[in-house]
Amino acid sequence: MVKMCSEGAQMEKKPDGKKEGRTDKPKVDPNIDGGWAWMVVLSSFLVHLLVMGSQMALGILNMEWLEEFNQSRGLTAWVSSLTMGITLIVGPFIGLFINTCGCRKTAMIGGFLTSLGWVLSAFATNVHFLFFTFGVMAGIGSGMVYLPAVVIVGQYFQKRRALAQGLSTTGTGFGTFLITVLLKYLCAEFGWRNAMIIQGAVTLNLCVCGALMRPLESRMQCSAETTRDHQNMKEASLLDTDTVKPNNVLHDGEDGEFRTDNGTSWIKEDTSNEIVIKDISRLGILKSLTRMTVSVRSGFWTWYSSYFGAASLFTNKVFVAFVLWALLAYCSFVIPFIHLPEIVELYGMSEQNSIFPLTSIIAIVHIFGKIILGFLGDLSCVSAWNVFIASNFTLGICILILPLMQVYAALAVVCALIGFSSGYFSLMPVVTEDLVGIKQLANAYGIIICANGISALLGPPFAGWIFDITQKYDYSFYVCGLLYMLGIICLLLEPCLQPKEKNREKPVENREV
């Protein structure tokens, strides 16, 4: 019996060995650029809709908070500024969570924190309470969902990276329209406190979006590990029966019955099976704890080495120039949204703007800009880096000349160009991945959005300080436009900062991957 069992075990192992040999061969996962990858794009789209769209619609709640708490506009505005800034500033720390826990778990935890922040904010008694619940808690939760939504799309796509990022980030534009209408209706019908509770329940769907972010590698590893565990269970059961069967020696009793010895043998078999099951469960717990410890250590080391090690991201000169651009650019991007209403009133265009708001033109064209620029970035004959620089240059020029447009039609054209060229956001993850590689994308993009968050926090006060000195809104556009052009100069230094050999090899490697 022992020989038959061992032969059977060997026969079971042989086909599995062949399968393991097959998996060792380099195979392209069918979900890359297709299959489940489009579900990941849908998940990322919904994350942008619920997170970034909600933040763009906070003006509705800001008006309610002003009436409720009777605080200054500057103090109340810090609530929305905190949640927007913290969502981006915590990017480097969220990279640590992604390295240790993965995109799925990080996004699900972030979705719960964001929803909890919305619900707790409904019970706020003052603005300072909102600083913690909505600004800090919801901001951190939003950051924990936003960064994984960008990184996971980059992991699932190789040939259509820019288009996939463009489609997913259009959720921001759709969310701005939908959630603005939703919050207006909820505040009018149920009050702002109940509106925040309902919105918190809607935001809880971010956990579902996080569940859709299935990692590529872990699924294959889990299936291999489950088959191995199944084989180990089989071998353990075979060994268990082999050890028990020698005790099944039946002796003839006086009455010729075998009940006693047979009963004792079965008792021994049952007890031995229970011991084996307990041992396997203990080993499983120890195995899972060991895996968690190893993953946390490796994830922390990867995160630490990305920022402080010898192979730090900051040793990449082109990446440092990219970070400087992010610091200078984002503050200029938010200026038109802040001071455009004042420019409209200054030139007497309020009636025309009420019919078709210029900010709506920017938002609508922004959606198409992300998709079109993403499509262009995926073309083999076009460099995503060149498309990125061209769109940034167009945006910088538009910010500079916007105050000079004193006719509504000319101003609408400039706003449309601002909306279209600002679609370069769909190319940011692609350009970042080209600079540092897919393994460093989470940490690198976390630094980029952190720089954007700092710029977004400092940009509006800087523009307000310029207005206080000059008493004109024009100079805010001029100064910020010049800062934007300075950031573009940092990007144009890319051929000088990057070695010629790497500059030639990089496009070839990216296409092969």
Side-chain angles (χ1 to χ4, degrees), residues 53-70:
S54 298
Q55 293 182 359
M56 293 295 180
L58 288 179
I60 306 298
L61 292 174
N62 191 50
M63 295 172 61
E64 299 290 338
W65 294 333
L66 285 170
E67 295 180 2
E68 179 74 19
F69 302 116
N70 294 321

Side-chain angles (χ1 to χ4, degrees), residues 85-318:
I86 290 177
T87 298
L88 302 175
I89 290 174
V90 297
F93 303 99
I94 305 305
L96 174 61
F97 281 91
I98 294 176
N99 289 330
T100 54
C101 304
C103 292
R104 171 187 275 181
K105 294 179 182 178
T106 304
M108 293 179 72
I109 295 172
F112 177 76
L113 279 178
T114 306
S115 176
L116 185 63
W118 277 88
V119 173
L120 291 179
S121 299
F123 303 96
T125 56
N126 50 51
V127 177
H128 300 89
F129 188 90
L130 290 173
F131 287 167
F132 175 74
T133 56
F134 198 78
V136 178
M137 183 180 292
I140 293 174
S142 299
M144 294 182 72
V145 184
Y146 174 69
L147 184 58
V150 176
V151 172
I152 194 68
V153 174
Q155 293 176 355
Y156 266 86
F157 284 88
Q158 293 177 357
K159 296 179 181 178
R160 305 174 182 175
R161 292 177 302 161
L163 179 61
Q165 294 286 2
L167 291 173
S168 61
T169 53
T170 53
T172 303
F174 286 103
T176 302
F177 289 109
L178 295 177
I179 297 180
T180 300
V181 175
L182 177 64
L183 286 178
K184 281 183 179 180
Y185 172 77
L186 293 177
C187 290
E189 293 293 328
F190 305 104
W192 71 270
R193 295 184 185 272
N194 292 326
M196 294 199 75
I197 294 176
I198 296 172
Q199 182 62 27
V202 174
T203 307
L204 196 61
N205 287 296
L206 290 172
C207 296
V208 181
C209 297
L212 294 175
M213 299 178 187
R214 298 192 306 190
L216 283 170
E217 297 178 357
S218 65
R219 281 187 288 122
M220 299 173 68
Q221 291 176 357
C222 287
S223 61
E225 287 173 359
T226 52
T227 54
R228 289 174 187 171
D229 293 337
H230 186 63
Q231 290 175 4
N232 293 332
M233 289 287 290
K234 281 185 176 181
E235 292 174 1
S237 63
L238 287 172
L239 291 172
D240 181 48
T241 53
D242 290 337
T243 55
V244 173
K245 281 184 179 179
N247 295 325
N248 291 337
V249 180
L250 301 179
H251 301 282
D252 295 336
E254 294 179 355
D255 53 355
E257 295 180 357
F258 308 97
R259 294 177 182 175
T260 305
D261 288 342
N262 193 14
T264 55
S265 66
W266 279 108
I267 291 171
K268 289 179 181 179
E269 188 174 355
D270 292 340
T271 54
S272 61
N273 283 332
E274 290 177 0
I275 292 171
V276 171
I277 291 171
K278 289 180 180 179
D279 291 339
I280 290 173
S281 63
R282 290 172 184 173
L283 288 173
I285 294 172
L286 290 174
K287 193 175 181 181
S288 61
L289 289 175
T290 304
R291 285 177 184 170
M292 288 176 61
T293 305
V294 171
S295 64
V296 170
R297 285 181 179 178
S298 62
F300 177 79
W301 177 249
T302 303
W303 177 81
Y304 179 84
S305 60
S306 298
Y307 298 129
F308 309 105
S312 172
L313 290 169
F314 294 104
T315 59
N316 188 339
K317 296 179 181 179
V318 181

Side-chain angles (χ1 to χ4, degrees), residues 475-494:
Y475 291 100
S476 299
F477 288 89
Y478 297 147
V479 174
C480 291
L482 290 174
L483 289 176
Y484 204 115
M485 300 304 292
L486 182 61
I488 294 173
I489 293 174
C490 295
L491 297 179
L492 293 174
L493 294 175
E494 184 259 346

Side-chain angles (χ1 to χ4, degrees), residues 81 330-332 334-335 338-339 453-467 476 480:
S81 296
Y330 206 79
C331 65
S332 304
V334 298
I335 295 303
I338 296 173
H339 291 308
I454 295 172
S455 182
L457 281 178
L458 299 179
F462 179 69
W465 177 70
I466 294 173
F467 174 77
S476 299
C480 291

